């Protein structure tokens, strides 16, 4: 059984006369997303991995159980500890991330909870950059706090403040990059270096970038988290999450997942594996659409501000250009002279993008963060998190960019008429 990402590339496809040349051949992301992690010849000679609907795995007799335990055999035992196609997808995701190992969870939040609960004990501290997914912050401040874990938050991009927040109890530094919805970019060199120098592990939630656009492991970041619900699944039809990192640092995380039970159904895993096959193609289009639509919005008189790392006007554009291949499909923008109701009219007038939370799927999605995520928050909180009344978040899907632009154009026009 092939178990390591690097060993799971179908060898025959790369058989080159010169062995050295073969070793230096690094498959591209599409080759990896189609083939990595899979057996070349699968059960019943099927080209696709089977959906193994088994909650448990049988043993021939008592001796077989004893052999399994004594010899640490690689086989199924019980569904909560793993599923054969889950292992395939985990190897594929590790190969895409350039990590030794990946652990799959039932959602991005389950992945975060799985990592934090494995790594943090009472008295430990964790430091966050403040622009982060509000549920991640909520889990720490409302729930980990009940178990004696202390959460410190510093302004995104303030590396000195992050360093000052570290003390001998600090176990983990956490950031997203890009952040949501402000799309700030973290200097991964600096972030990883602060962690290394202080002997504190680092975690980057790279959901918005994906390994197509940014590769945190190459900068020395210890853990990379993705909501696979977004670009990895890519079709707005599943929830999943993944943590990648080294075998050594993930051993306790995997053990705890077997206890937490936040695993995927075999059908869900199949959808994720299928979605991953087109990962690179989709990302190319998301990047193109994001860039085109962001440029269109920035040039539009009804728009006062566009946050997109691919625009030279973005605060982190230089850093983004240096560290990212593309800038993804997510764009945040603000309407000129608009209250929240007028902003809502633009959202309501859009015909292609669907109104929904989430991002990263083939269908474009649009939402007003004030209404979708912060409606019941006091306005002081909204201001603190940088959520304005006239803000719209658009996740560009893979539709044709000219259609998305025409549609936004008519939505802005009709909203200003009413
Ligand atoms: C969606 C999202 C999450 C949470 O993932 P789920 O799969 O919804 O649990 C975490 N981080 C970021 C950046 C996200 O966009």
């Amino acid at each position: 059984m092939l178990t390591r990402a690097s060993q799971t590339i179908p060898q025959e496809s790369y058989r080159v006369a010169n062995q050295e040349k073969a070793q230096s051949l690094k498959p591209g992301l599409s080759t990896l997303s189609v083939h990595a992690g899979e057996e070349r010849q699968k059960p019943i000679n099927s080209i696709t991995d089977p959906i193994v609907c088994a909650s448990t795995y049988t043993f021939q007799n008592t001796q077989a159980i004893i052999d399994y335990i004594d010899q640490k055999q690689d086989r199924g035992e019980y569904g909560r500890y793993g599923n054969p196609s889950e292992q395939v997808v985990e190897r594929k995701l590790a190969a895409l991330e350039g990590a030794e190992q990946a652990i799959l969870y039932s959602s991005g939040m389950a992945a975060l909870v799985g990592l934090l609960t494995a790594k943090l004990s009472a008295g430990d501290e964790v430091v966050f950059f403040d622009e982060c997914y509000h549920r991640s912050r909520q889990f720490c401040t409302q729930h980990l706090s009940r178990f004696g874990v202390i959460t410190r938050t510093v302004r995104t991009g303030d590396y000195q403040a992050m360093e000052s927040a570290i003390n001998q109890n600090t176990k983990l530094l956490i950031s997203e990059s890009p952040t949501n919805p402000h799309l700030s970019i973290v200097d991964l060199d600096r972030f990883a270096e602060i962690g290394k120098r202080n002997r504190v592990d680092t975690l980057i939630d790279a959901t918005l970038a994906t390994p197509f656009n940014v590769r945190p492991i190459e900068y020395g970041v210890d853990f990379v988290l993705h909501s696979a619900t977004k670009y990895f699944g890519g079709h707005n039809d599943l929830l999943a999450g993944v943590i990648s990192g080294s075998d050594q640092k993930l051993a306790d995380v995997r053990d705890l997942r077997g206890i937490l039970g936040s695993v995927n159904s075999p059908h869900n895993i199949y959808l994720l594996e299928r979605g991953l096959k087109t990962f690179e193609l989709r990302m190319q289009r998301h990047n193109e659409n994001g860039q085109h639509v962001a440029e269109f919005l920035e040039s539009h008189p009804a728009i006062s501000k566009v946050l997109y790392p691919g625009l030279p006007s973005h605060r982190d554009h230089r850093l983004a250009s240096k560290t990212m291949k593309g800038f993804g499909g997510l764009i945040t923008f603000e309407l000129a002279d608009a209250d929240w109701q007028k902003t809502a009219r633009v959202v309501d007038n859009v015909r292609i993008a669907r109104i929904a939370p989430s991002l990263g799927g083939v269908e474009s999605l649009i939402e007003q963060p004030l209404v979708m995520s912060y409606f019941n928050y006091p306005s002081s909180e909204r201001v603190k998190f940088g959520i304005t009344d006239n803000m719209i978040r658009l996740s560009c899907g893979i539709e044709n960019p000219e259609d998305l632009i025409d549609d936004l154009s008519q939505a802005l026009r009709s909203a200003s008429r009413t």
Side-chain angles (χ1 to χ4, degrees), residues 28-33 93 95-98 178 206-216 218 224 226 231-232 276 278-288 308 320 323-329:
L29 279 192
S30 276
T31 309
L32 291 174
S33 67
L93 290 169
L96 290 173
E97 195 70 58
T207 299
L208 267 55
T210 81
F212 181 75
N213 285 327
V214 80
R215 317 203 42 92
E218 290 171 11
V224 184
H226 293 278
Y231 290 111
F232 279 154
L276 279 169
T278 55
F279 170 65
E280 187 180 42
L281 296 175
R282 287 186 285 103
M283 286 316 296
Q284 285 164 346
R285 184 59 158 254
H286 285 298
N287 281 352
E288 267 173 47
Y308 186 73
T323 55
M324 299 177 79
K325 186 162 175 173
F327 311 101

Side-chain angles (χ1 to χ4, degrees), residues 67 115 129 202 209 274 313-314 325-326 335 366 390 395 405 409:
D67 290 347
L115 181 80
F129 272 151
T202 46
R274 192 183 212 275
S313 59
H314 190 278
K325 186 162 175 173
L335 298 187
I366 193 163
N390 57 344
S395 168
I405 287 170
S409 186

Side-chain angles (χ1 to χ4, degrees), residues 31-253:
T31 309
L32 291 174
S33 67
V34 174
H35 295 291
E38 300 185 24
E39 305 274 8
R40 186 148 177 86
Q41 201 61 25
K42 299 184 180 64
I44 57 167
N45 306 309
S46 164
I47 189 166
T48 53
D49 271 300
I51 300 173
V52 180
C53 284
S55 60
T56 192
Y57 298 84
T58 60
F59 293 86
Q60 193 110 36
N61 51 37
T62 303
Q63 189 57 46
I65 307 172
I66 295 167
D67 290 347
Y68 163 68
I69 297 166
D70 281 350
Q71 299 163 18
K72 296 190 167 50
Q73 286 171 351
D74 189 10
R75 54 150 287 166
E77 180 192 336
Y78 183 66
R80 184 159 23 78
Y81 307 133
N83 173 284
S85 29
E86 176 185 73
Q87 290 176 354
V88 171
V89 172
E90 286 180 338
R91 291 194 296 259
K92 202 182 280 296
L93 290 169
L96 290 173
E97 195 70 58
E100 285 177 8
Q101 193 183 140
I103 307 178
L104 199 60
Y105 288 85
S106 50
S107 70
M109 279 312 296
L112 182 81
V113 170
L115 181 80
L116 296 185
T117 48
K119 295 295 177 188
L120 301 171
S121 306
D124 287 346
E125 300 197 3
V126 41
V127 187
F128 269 93
F129 272 151
D130 62 353
E131 289 172 14
C132 68
Y133 186 60
H134 63 294
R135 298 295 182 202
S136 307
R137 180 170 51 220
Q138 193 180 5
F139 175 66
C140 289
T141 56
Q142 286 183 16
H143 300 285
L144 275 185
S145 57
R146 295 187 289 113
F147 301 89
V149 173
I150 294 164
T151 302
R152 299 187 188 277
T153 309
V154 300
R155 273 187 71 109
T156 303
D158 190 340
Y159 301 92
Q160 247 156 12
M162 177 157 267
E163 186 131 24
S164 309
I166 296 173
N167 60 40
Q168 75 258 32
N169 297 325
T170 310
K171 291 285 158 18
L172 200 58
L173 309 179
I174 304 180
S175 184
E176 275 164 45
S177 188
T179 64
N180 176 14
H182 296 94
L183 299 149
S184 302
I185 307 299
V186 168
D187 185 335
L188 296 176
D189 269 328
R190 263 182 104 172
F191 182 72
E193 191 273 328
I194 293 173
K196 292 247 175 324
R197 189 155 34 78
N198 293 282
R199 296 201 176 80
V200 178
D201 284 342
T202 46
L203 164 68
I204 286 288
D205 177 341
T207 299
L208 267 55
T210 81
F212 181 75
N213 285 327
V214 80
R215 317 203 42 92
I217 297 281
E218 290 171 11
Y219 292 83
V221 169
D222 298 295
F223 304 109
V224 184
L225 182 144
H226 293 278
S227 167
T229 311
K230 315 295 168 55
Y231 290 111
F232 279 154
H235 292 73
N236 291 322
D237 59 0
L238 64 86
L239 286 144
V242 59
I243 297 264
S244 303
S246 69
D247 290 338
Q248 191 220 335
K249 289 198 191 240
L250 286 179
D252 55 347
V253 182

